[in-house]
Amino acid sequence: MKYTNTAKEILKTVGGEDNIESLVHCMTRLRFVLKDESQADDAYMKNIPGVMGVMKKGGQYQVIMGNDVASYFKELQKISTFSTNANTTSSKKKNPFEAFVDIISSCMSPLIPALLGGGMIKVLLILLPLMGLLDAKGQTYTILAFFGDAPFYFLPIMLAYTAAIKFNVTPMLAVSVAGIMLHPNFVAMVTAGDPVFLFGIPVTLASYSPSVIPILIMVWLMQYIESFFEKIIPTAIKSFMKPLLIILISGFLALVVVGPLGTYAGELLSTIILGIQDKAGWLALGLMAAFMPLIIMTGMHWAFAPIFLIASPATPDILILPAMLASNIAQGAATLAVSLKAKNKNLKQISAAASISALVAGVTEPALYGVNLKLKKPLYAAMISGGIVGIYIGITGLKSFAFAVPSVVSLPQFIGGGSNINIFNALVVTVGSFLLTFILTWIFGFDEEPENALVPNSDAENTVQSGSGDTKKLLPQLLVKSYR
């Protein structure tokens, strides 16, 4: 029932069904594209039970709901009709950076459940053999390794689909081109290392299985290729000639031009990051860990997806995932301190749940938007401790040997390197970030008074303003509502 009531309030507050161009959701947010954002009442929205915050970014009106976002989305689908086409965008012009972040975020967000699942299987395959519960040489281990590797190996295919939706390309044609890049025979050619030619033109031998940039560039180009053939091919032969030419030309470009360029771009980004880490690792990690909450708020962390998504013993991540460990633990510790110190029962409950989400699952949006950003001082404490611990990460060179969202549960992702020193440093980071943030939050304190004591345009506000005798009963409800 709570989902239905909240969904109705959200629908009304964004200006009703007629004001919605489209609506999709990611792991924690409802992402509206509105015809007129001025019709949305931000202040009222923030006080709706279940809503943790509002953000306007990339032409989207984003309502932060936390881990229950899918349930609210389903209720909105029941009570209204709207487009779920992620390609629908606001007419508001974006700068190049906003457009880039929007593309990366829109294409990557739907993949997160699969990547999280695969990443956690990889973590289990590190942990279970160490505990003597699984034979690392047995068939069960080998098959489970397939389970964990599949979302990453076939990442270009999944990205081809989400990017096709974003760029309005026929999805199965985009998936087919990604399949060309991952075809077993091409992989065998890459492994053999012998020169390969297509129509007499040399093909760069590159592995595309864990890549992000090549397929995104390719699908972006396919929107123009498909549009071109849509216009020039006669209707009588379009049904077979159009897909034939699109696959031929797109496949050629993918292997000869775009794929290599995307690979080189990814390698350049990795080189830049490694160079910064080598010259001033302590500073880079300190800043990254301190500002990680803000980086996640803007979606900038997806720009580094080519680096942290392919974290492995051969190519460990030394920047994003280690910095996220310090930041995620700090967010969880801050909300736990709030939960223990707060007097308001609702704030206690919300903070406790947000703390568990951050510490155990590594999902920090409930903590960030539901508690820390609203109260401000806990966020400052988390950023300060994240920066301090981040310096330690840079000095010790902490590495993540597998992709998983950093949390207490996923600490085995830091096991590797031929010794126990790396996991020891990860434990120091976890404990240090937790204790320092908890202490700073406790010392800084926080103001439990809501920013908006009254909900705009609500019946409760009218009652209070009219001097009704029910004022004393309504104020506690308003205080409670403001924290949700």
Side-chain angles (χ1 to χ4, degrees), residues 22-346:
S22 69
L23 171 62
V24 295
H25 74 89
C26 58
M27 288 291 287
T28 57
R29 308 180 191 188
L30 295 169
R31 295 172 176 262
F32 291 91
V33 174
L34 302 178
K35 296 176 182 177
D36 181 6
E37 283 192 1
S38 66
Q39 292 188 31
D41 190 333
D42 296 354
Y44 189 93
M45 182 71 76
K46 293 175 183 178
N47 287 289
I48 295 175
V51 174
M52 297 177 179
V54 172
M55 177 172 288
K56 300 175 183 179
K57 185 180 66 174
Q60 293 181 334
Y61 188 86
Q62 301 178 8
V63 183
I64 297 95
M65 306 303 301
N67 295 332
D68 277 345
V69 65
S71 299
Y72 292 109
F73 181 80
K74 289 178 182 177
E75 290 300 321
L76 282 165
Q77 285 184 309
K78 292 178 183 178
I79 63 175
S80 62
T81 302
F82 49 79
S83 169
T84 56
N85 183 3
N87 186 50
T88 305
T89 55
S90 170
S91 57
K92 181 181 177 181
K93 188 175 181 180
K94 306 172 190 174
N95 62 48
F97 177 76
E98 285 181 331
F100 172 74
V101 171
D102 175 57
I103 290 170
I104 295 292
S105 179
S106 298
C107 295
M108 290 297 302
S109 293
L111 275 56
I112 297 304
L115 298 176
L116 287 177
M120 290 310 299
I121 289 175
K122 286 175 174 286
V123 169
L124 288 176
L125 290 177
I126 294 173
L127 185 61
L128 294 180
L130 293 175
M131 299 172 63
L133 299 176
L134 187 64
D135 182 4
K137 297 181 180 179
Q139 291 183 341
T140 299
Y141 180 94
T142 302
I143 294 175
L144 286 177
F146 298 164
F147 291 13
D149 289 339
F152 300 93
Y153 184 86
F154 294 105
L155 181 62
I157 290 179
M158 295 189 292
L159 268 175
Y161 181 81
T162 58
I165 301 300
K166 178 67 178 176
F167 296 121
N168 200 25
V169 172
T170 302
M172 290 305 105
L173 292 178
V175 167
S176 296
V177 172
I180 293 171
M181 301 168 74
L182 296 178
H183 196 283
N185 289 347
F186 179 68
V187 173
M189 290 179 176
V190 173
T191 303
D194 298 325
V196 176
F197 297 88
L198 178 61
F199 301 122
I201 300 176
V203 174
T204 300
L205 299 178
S207 175
Y208 298 112
S209 62
S211 64
V212 172
I213 296 177
I215 191 61
L216 288 179
I217 296 176
M218 192 61 244
V219 178
W220 174 74
L221 279 176
M222 285 183 70
Q223 67 182 315
Y224 302 106
I225 297 172
E226 185 168 349
S227 176
F228 174 74
F229 286 123
E230 176 68 29
K231 294 176 181 177
I232 68 168
I233 298 177
T235 303
I237 60 173
K238 186 176 292 184
S239 62
F240 63 88
M241 188 59 68
K242 177 183 169 184
L244 167 65
L245 292 175
I246 290 175
I247 291 178
L248 273 176
I249 293 176
S250 299
F252 175 84
L253 291 175
L255 296 184
V256 175
V257 181
V258 175
L261 286 176
T263 300
Y264 295 147
E267 291 176 352
L268 176 62
L269 180 59
S270 297
T271 300
I272 293 173
I273 297 301
L274 290 173
I276 295 174
Q277 171 71 7
D278 182 58
K279 300 299 182 182
W282 63 272
L283 178 60
L285 265 300
L287 293 174
M288 186 66 71
F291 291 101
M292 185 58 67
L294 307 184
I295 292 172
I296 290 175
M297 284 173 61
T298 61
M300 287 175 58
H301 58 301
W302 289 121
F304 300 97
I307 296 175
F308 66 75
L309 285 180
I310 61 173
S312 67
T315 56
D317 177 25
I318 57 175
L319 184 66
I320 302 299
L321 296 178
M324 286 182 72
L325 175 64
S327 179
N328 291 356
I329 297 300
Q331 292 280 334
T335 49
L336 180 61
V338 170
S339 178
L340 294 176
K341 192 171 185 178
K343 297 179 181 179
N344 182 284
K345 290 183 179 180
N346 254 307

Side-chain angles (χ1 to χ4, degrees), residues 416-482:
S419 68
N420 295 324
I421 187 65
N422 198 73
I423 184 62
F424 172 78
N425 287 329
L427 290 170
V428 171
V429 169
T430 301
V431 175
S433 183
F434 181 89
L435 291 178
L436 184 56
T437 306
F438 189 94
I439 293 171
L440 287 177
T441 303
W442 201 272
I443 293 174
F444 289 173
F446 47 87
D447 186 1
E448 291 191 54
E449 290 293 326
E451 295 180 10
N452 301 303
L454 302 177
V455 182
N457 303 323
S458 69
D459 293 337
E461 180 184 12
N462 295 334
T463 304
V464 173
Q465 289 178 341
S466 66
S468 168
D470 292 332
T471 301
K472 293 182 179 180
K473 294 181 181 180
L474 287 167
L475 283 176
Q477 296 174 15
L478 293 169
L479 290 173
V480 168
K481 207 173 185 183
S482 68

